[in-house]
Amino acid sequence: MEKISIGIIGLGTVGQGVLEIFSKHKKAIIDRVGKEVEIDAVCDTDKKKVPKYLLNAYSANWQEIVENPKIDLVVELIGGWEPARTIILSALSSKKNVVTANKAVLARYWDEVFRSVRKHGNLIYFEAAVGGGIPVVQSLNEGLAANKITKISGILNGTTNFILTKMQKEDIGFSTALDYARKYGFAEANPSFDIKGIDTANKLSILTSIAAECWVKTDEINIEGIDGISRQDINISKNEFNYTIKLIGKSIFDNDKIDITVRPTLISESHPFRNVDGEYNAILLHGDVAEDLMFYGKGAGRGPAASAVVSDIIFLSRHIANKTAGLSPYINYNPNKKINIMKSADKEGCYYLRFSVEDRPGVLASIANILAKNRVSIAAVYQNVLPGQSGKGASVVIITHRANEGKLFKSLEVIDRQKYVKGKSAVYPIEN
Amino acid sequence: MEKISIGIIGLGTVGQGVLEIFSKHKKAIIDRVGKEVEIDAVCDTDKKKVPKYLLNAYSANWQEIVENPKIDLVVELIGGWEPARTIILSALSSKKNVVTANKAVLARYWDEVFRSVRKHGNLIYFEAAVGGGIPVVQSLNEGLAANKITKISGILNGTTNFILTKMQKEDIGFSTALDYARKYGFAEANPSFDIKGIDTANKLSILTSIAAECWVKTDEINIEGIDGISRQDINISKNEFNYTIKLIGKSIFDNDKIDITVRPTLISESHPFRNVDGEYNAILLHGDVAEDLMFYGKGAGRGPAASAVVSDIIFLSRHIANKTAGLSPYINYNPNKKINIMKSADKEGCYYLRFSVEDRPGVLASIANILAKNRVSIAAVYQNVLPGQSGKGASVVIITHRANEGKLFKSLEVIDRQKYVKGKSAVYPIEN
């Protein structure tokens, strides 16, 4: 083998970043691989995206790259489910190794992809799929290999973190903040995958599946997005209780069960996520021996994602050069292992509750009674209707002590049926 | 090969942690290696440290392990320079692969160790040498392989961070805080390596040598420890300017030059190191494409260090099992490459200065004049002698705008020679 031959499919933002790093750091890349590495084929539906020096390498059809026997390594950077899934699976069955940044395909087709990897004895690397430039997949999978992972929690989506940071720092509503995110290039034309929490859930599915060594599907995750967060909750939680709101994906491992959720969560002042703002991502891993570890960096964007893709290319190319690709699996996956998702009745936590109620005597007593009956203990209360303002209704905010989530939800159902309640109650978990 | 055979030399805190993880996670370790892995030899000067189930594997002399042809992998955990250096070099020349946590040997004998690795075609892994359980060596070396590293900065020593945190949170002096650190097991009997900044410098030497691909020696680093930090500077910097003091090891790469220092440094409120307290470590890496990344976790102690050692053992064992150990170098090292250390005259920064002076007219004017002549521009001043308190002397504190460090040091020399000055001026760099 004289050189490692690479085919890149998809020349969008990340693909362009990859080409740029290859031009800029070609010598260093070859040094690190220990052999010549060359981009010998590129494919994109838009030929205009191909730089001049690569026009000779252009294919209009990805099949030409995947079927080209000279290509050693296929880099899939088009995103979305199809044809990305078919490209990845075709490349694997053509005995090619694969680098991808595609969290959607991995989260939805984990079983299919890793069965194929095992069957064909090759490798797929996907560092850029989670946390942009942060080497969290490698750290979880290799650097913490000695550990039983007991907790994964993360700010995994730059778009939502940008929006929430804007809402909080500038006291603006969700849709204004979303407009900002679009303006600064931090939100896609259709941002619903991000703001509904699906992108975070896909990334959490990937990290959790690595740690659990079995497939934990996005569908199994209890997901809540950020589009329902009100300025009122942001302001009260910040001004009265010194919390900030972040969209947190979280898996807590408890033997054969996982508590896995994606939810807007209140973050206390001393929490390591407190200052993770804007487009930054952070991931907290807890291993039984290494204890708490946090990784922080830019979660998206051309440079950071391309950094992860090229680092993957380097180490996979080195495996190809040494003929060691696939000798050991990168990801441990047991198709027969099944892990159960924990139910609310088995969970405990502290919560922020807000009730929109009529401002009349007995309301607080009634809420407190219903909570007490369900053994939900109150840590703090905030209600602020000044004399003369009554009649407009009131917001009652309660911070709970540690409580059983099932019982908490049961009491909220009861409270929301009371006549004095004017709207659905808001509930956010708290991370201290 | 039926199994990977491991010899552990040194059964102190980290060694005991390694044995514990092996007992607890034996099955998972074997799963990850893909082959049986066994601790077949242990050595310690104190036989009492050997658990019963390993008494058959005990050697009183490390030579027996290093020379035993059945041992595939030698784990050196005794620390210090000798016999650790000889053990590592002997193991390498006996064609064994090595895992070590020994930052002192690596920093002082980098050239000898990596020449030997190259000559004998094997591998040495040393994740536990820097940052305890944080996989920063792997991340710098592999996860960021696509980057040109432009900056490394870190809180790399748990003992000094514990002491500084205590001094600041409890308003106590250095020696009282050191007593606490000893009491809680965060300081060794002779803590001078830690408090003088040598341990931080060794770790910085290792990280910098990886990034630079050449040996940057501890001796070349401008080192200042924490034993000279006064409560006065802690209090004024915190109360008047909202800074905290951390011992920071920092390398800034500028083509063929590095600005490399270990210094107590003032950290602003929004800096990611701000809440890295107690025994925690944090490392900030800046790559030209991945941009800022931070890694945070427990920097020392049985569990975290053993986590890193066992993860190294797993991946090195996998290489041994696949007969791929040494096919590619883990660390890129060019013995002929030389990088220059930047001088003060080439550096710029913001600084905190404190002058102990007589409390009489004209002093501030004189200081300000000398700074101005050297083009050091003043951003903020603090002097607080109440009427009736004069005669006891005063402290004048100045925060500078960005200034040339050479010129700043020159002006401090001049100021310290003035008659009104009662003691050496204090100077700390500021990280914003």
Side-chain angles (χ1 to χ4, degrees):
Chain A
M1 187 189 309
E2 277 169 35
K3 64 168 184 181
I4 312 298
S5 192
I6 293 172
I8 299 180
I9 301 170
L11 295 176
T13 309
V14 181
Q16 296 294 334
V18 170
L19 297 184
E20 192 185 316
I21 298 176
F22 255 85
S23 304
K24 210 169 144 192
H25 293 328
K26 185 78 186 282
K27 197 190 155 299
I29 291 169
I30 292 170
D31 270 4
R32 285 186 164 260
V33 174
K35 192 155 262 179
E36 186 76 25
V37 184
E38 195 127 27
I39 297 172
D40 282 329
V42 291
C43 170
D44 195 284
T45 47
D46 180 1
K47 195 177 173 180
K48 278 183 236 124
K49 289 189 178 161
V50 181
K52 270 190 190 156
Y53 68 91
L54 279 174
L55 279 173
N56 282 336
Y58 178 70
S59 290
N61 300 310
W62 59 260
Q63 287 87 347
E64 284 177 31
I65 294 181
V66 169
E67 288 162 11
N68 181 345
K70 287 185 183 157
I71 298 292
D72 301 298
L73 199 164
V74 171
V75 183
E76 182 281 305
L77 297 174
I78 58 174
W81 287 307
E82 285 294 355
R85 168 185 156 274
T86 309
I87 291 171
I88 290 171
L89 292 172
S90 309
L92 290 171
S93 60
S94 305
K95 304 272 184 190
K96 296 188 190 319
N97 295 284
V98 173
V99 170
T100 180
N102 196 318
K103 59 249 176 186
V105 164
L106 287 170
R108 187 179 275 190
Y109 303 107
W110 189 265
D111 179 71
E112 205 174 6
V113 168
F114 288 99
R115 277 182 194 267
S116 175
V117 166
R118 176 184 288 195
K119 182 174 166 196
H120 298 102
N122 35 24
L123 283 173
I124 182 167
Y125 280 11
F126 51 90
E127 189 59 74
V130 186
I134 306 170
V136 62
V137 171
Q138 184 183 44
S139 294
L140 177 61
N141 193 40
E142 303 196 336
L144 294 178
N147 290 261
K148 187 172 169 192
I149 301 296
T150 51
K151 183 172 174 179
I152 296 169
S153 113
I155 296 173
L156 296 169
N157 179 275
T159 305
T160 46
N161 205 41
F162 180 91
I163 291 171
L164 290 176
T165 304
K166 270 277 176 203
M167 287 175 76
Q168 289 167 83
K169 301 236 156 153
E170 301 185 10
D171 191 14
I172 55 178
F174 171 76
S175 56
T176 315
L178 174 58
D179 288 343
Y180 269 112
R182 283 209 181 94
K183 191 174 148 193
Y184 291 112
F186 292 119
E188 294 175 43
N190 178 359
S192 69
F193 251 55
D194 294 315
I195 66 180
K196 297 281 183 195
I198 311 294
D199 180 73
T200 298
N202 283 340
K203 291 165 177 168
L204 184 63
S205 155
I206 292 172
L207 294 179
T208 307
S209 299
I210 295 171
E213 302 190 351
C214 69
W215 186 21
V216 181
K217 298 177 194 179
T218 304
D219 295 346
E220 298 178 281
I221 304 174
N222 188 330
I223 306 171
E224 189 183 327
I226 65 160
D227 45 342
I229 299 174
S230 70
R231 281 167 76 176
Q232 195 185 9
D233 288 320
I234 286 179
N235 289 331
I236 296 174
S237 65
K238 179 77 211 317
N239 299 335
E240 304 306 322
F241 305 104
N242 197 12
Y243 291 119
T244 56
I245 300 190
K246 303 276 179 199
L247 183 66
I248 303 293
K250 192 174 76 171
S251 292
I252 299 172
F253 296 80
D254 181 13
N255 295 315
D256 59 337
K257 281 188 202 157
I258 316 179
D259 172 7
I260 184 168
T261 55
V262 172
R263 275 197 210 170
T265 301
L266 301 191
I267 303 292
S268 73
E269 195 178 10
S270 60
H271 194 282
F273 287 167
R274 178 68 173 217
N275 293 317
V276 178
D277 285 337
E279 73 268 38
Y280 279 88
N281 282 14
I283 300 114
L284 205 52
L285 303 176
H286 190 276
D288 65 341
V289 279
E291 305 182 33
D292 276 330
L293 290 171
M294 187 173 90
F295 304 85
Y296 164 92
K298 284 206 176 162
R302 175 181 170 127
S307 163
V309 170
V310 176
S311 298
D312 277 354
I313 292 175
I314 290 172
F315 286 91
L316 201 36
S317 295
R318 194 183 255 199
H319 271 303
I320 297 169
N322 293 338
K323 305 198 196 316
T324 55
L327 280 191
S328 309
Y330 180 58
I331 296 297
N332 281 353
Y333 170 56
N334 179 350
N336 302 317
K337 187 174 168 188
K338 184 71 198 139
I339 197 157
N340 295 309
I341 307 300
M342 212 182 274
K343 297 197 172 63
S344 282
D346 299 323
K347 298 187 206 178
E348 259 199 359
C350 299
Y351 299 85
Y352 165 104
L353 315 172
R354 182 178 48 77
F355 305 100
S356 294
V357 294
E358 286 173 20
D359 180 26
R360 60 174 171 83
V363 167
L364 184 58
S366 165
I367 291 173
N369 261 323
I370 296 167
L371 291 173
K373 266 187 207 151
N374 287 287
R375 295 177 168 267
V376 176
S377 172
I378 295 173
V381 181
Y382 169 79
Q383 181 180 350
N384 189 6
V385 182
L386 295 178
Q389 288 185 333
S390 68
K392 292 179 193 164
S395 287
V396 174
V397 172
I398 287 173
I399 307 289
T400 75
H401 283 297
R402 282 190 77 78
N404 178 284
E405 193 176 271
K407 287 182 176 158
L408 177 85
F409 285 172
K410 206 174 286 175
S411 36
L412 297 186
E413 271 173 36
V414 177
I415 293 169
D416 281 357
R417 284 198 307 267
Q418 303 300 309
K419 279 189 187 154
Y420 56 74
V421 170
K422 300 172 74 175
K424 203 174 174 320
S425 54
V427 51
Y428 296 109
I430 297 172
E431 286 262 327
N432 289 305
Chain B
M1 187 189 311
E2 276 169 33
K3 65 169 185 180
I4 312 299
S5 190
I6 293 173
I8 299 180
I9 300 169
L11 295 177
T13 308
V14 181
Q16 296 294 334
V18 170
L19 297 185
E20 191 184 316
I21 298 176
F22 255 85
S23 303
K24 208 168 145 191
H25 293 328
K26 185 79 187 281
K27 195 187 156 300
I29 291 169
I30 292 169
D31 270 4
R32 286 187 164 259
V33 173
K35 191 156 265 178
E36 185 78 25
V37 184
E38 194 126 29
I39 298 172
D40 282 328
V42 291
C43 169
D44 196 284
T45 47
D46 181 1
K47 196 176 173 180
K48 277 183 238 129
K49 290 190 176 159
V50 182
K52 270 192 191 154
Y53 69 91
L54 279 173
L55 279 174
N56 281 337
Y58 178 69
S59 288
N61 300 310
W62 58 261
Q63 286 88 346
E64 284 177 29
I65 294 181
V66 169
E67 289 162 12
N68 181 345
K70 288 186 184 157
I71 297 293
D72 300 299
L73 200 166
V74 171
V75 183
E76 182 280 305
L77 297 174
I78 57 174
W81 287 306
E82 286 292 358
R85 168 185 156 274
T86 309
I87 292 170
I88 291 170
L89 292 172
S90 308
L92 290 171
S93 60
S94 304
K95 304 271 183 191
K96 296 189 191 319
N97 296 284
V98 173
V99 170
T100 180
N102 197 318
K103 59 250 175 182
V105 163
L106 287 170
R108 186 179 274 190
Y109 303 107
W110 190 265
D111 180 71
E112 207 175 3
V113 168
F114 288 100
R115 277 182 194 268
S116 176
V117 166
R118 177 185 287 195
K119 184 175 164 193
H120 298 103
N122 36 24
L123 284 172
I124 182 167
Y125 280 12
F126 52 89
E127 189 59 76
V130 186
I134 306 169
V136 62
V137 171
Q138 184 182 45
S139 295
L140 177 61
N141 194 39
E142 303 196 336
L144 295 178
N147 290 261
K148 188 173 167 191
I149 301 296
T150 52
K151 185 172 172 181
I152 296 169
S153 109
I155 297 172
L156 297 168
N157 178 274
T159 305
T160 46
N161 204 41
F162 180 90
I163 292 171
L164 290 176
T165 304
K166 270 275 175 201
M167 286 175 76
Q168 290 169 80
K169 302 236 155 150
E170 302 186 10
D171 191 14
I172 55 177
F174 171 75
S175 55
T176 316
L178 175 57
D179 288 343
Y180 269 113
R182 283 210 180 94
K183 190 175 150 192
Y184 292 113
F186 291 119
E188 295 176 41
N190 179 358
S192 69
F193 252 55
D194 295 314
I195 65 179
K196 297 280 183 194
I198 312 294
D199 180 74
T200 298
N202 283 340
K203 291 164 177 169
L204 184 63
S205 156
I206 292 171
L207 294 178
T208 307
S209 299
I210 295 171
E213 303 190 353
C214 69
W215 186 22
V216 181
K217 298 177 195 179
T218 304
D219 295 347
E220 298 179 282
I221 304 175
N222 187 330
I223 306 171
E224 189 184 326
I226 65 159
D227 44 342
I229 299 174
S230 70
R231 283 168 73 176
Q232 195 185 8
D233 288 321
I234 287 179
N235 288 331
I236 296 175
S237 66
K238 179 78 213 308
N239 299 335
E240 304 306 322
F241 305 104
N242 196 10
Y243 290 119
T244 56
I245 299 190
K246 302 275 179 199
L247 184 66
I248 303 293
K250 191 174 76 171
S251 292
I252 299 172
F253 296 79
D254 181 14
N255 296 314
D256 58 338
K257 281 188 205 155
I258 315 179
D259 172 7
I260 183 167
T261 54
V262 172
R263 275 198 212 169
T265 302
L266 302 190
I267 302 293
S268 74
E269 195 177 9
S270 59
H271 194 283
F273 287 167
R274 178 68 172 216
N275 293 319
V276 179
D277 285 337
E279 74 269 36
Y280 279 88
N281 282 14
I283 300 114
L284 205 53
L285 303 176
H286 190 276
D288 65 339
V289 280
E291 304 182 34
D292 276 329
L293 290 171
M294 188 173 88
F295 304 85
Y296 164 94
K298 284 208 175 160
R302 177 181 169 127
S307 162
V309 170
V310 176
S311 298
D312 277 354
I313 291 174
I314 290 172
F315 286 91
L316 200 37
S317 295
R318 194 183 256 199
H319 271 303
I320 297 168
N322 292 340
K323 303 196 196 319
T324 55
L327 280 190
S328 308
Y330 180 58
I331 295 298
N332 280 354
Y333 170 56
N334 179 349
N336 303 315
K337 187 173 168 190
K338 185 70 199 143
I339 197 156
N340 295 309
I341 307 299
M342 213 182 274
K343 297 197 174 63
S344 283
D346 299 324
K347 299 187 206 176
E348 259 199 0
C350 298
Y351 299 85
Y352 165 103
L353 315 172
R354 180 178 48 79
F355 305 101
S356 294
V357 294
E358 287 173 19
D359 179 27
R360 60 174 173 83
V363 167
L364 183 59
S366 166
I367 291 172
N369 260 322
I370 296 167
L371 291 173
K373 267 186 206 153
N374 288 288
R375 295 177 167 268
V376 176
S377 174
I378 295 171
V381 180
Y382 169 79
Q383 181 181 350
N384 190 6
V385 182
L386 296 178
Q389 288 186 331
S390 69
K392 293 181 193 161
S395 288
V396 174
V397 172
I398 287 172
I399 307 288
T400 74
H401 284 298
R402 281 189 78 78
N404 178 283
E405 193 177 88
K407 286 182 178 159
L408 177 85
F409 286 172
K410 206 173 287 176
S411 37
L412 296 187
E413 270 174 37
V414 177
I415 293 169
D416 281 357
R417 283 198 305 267
Q418 302 300 308
K419 280 188 187 157
Y420 56 75
V421 171
K422 300 172 76 174
K424 205 175 172 319
S425 55
V427 50
Y428 296 109
I430 297 171
E431 287 263 326
N432 289 305

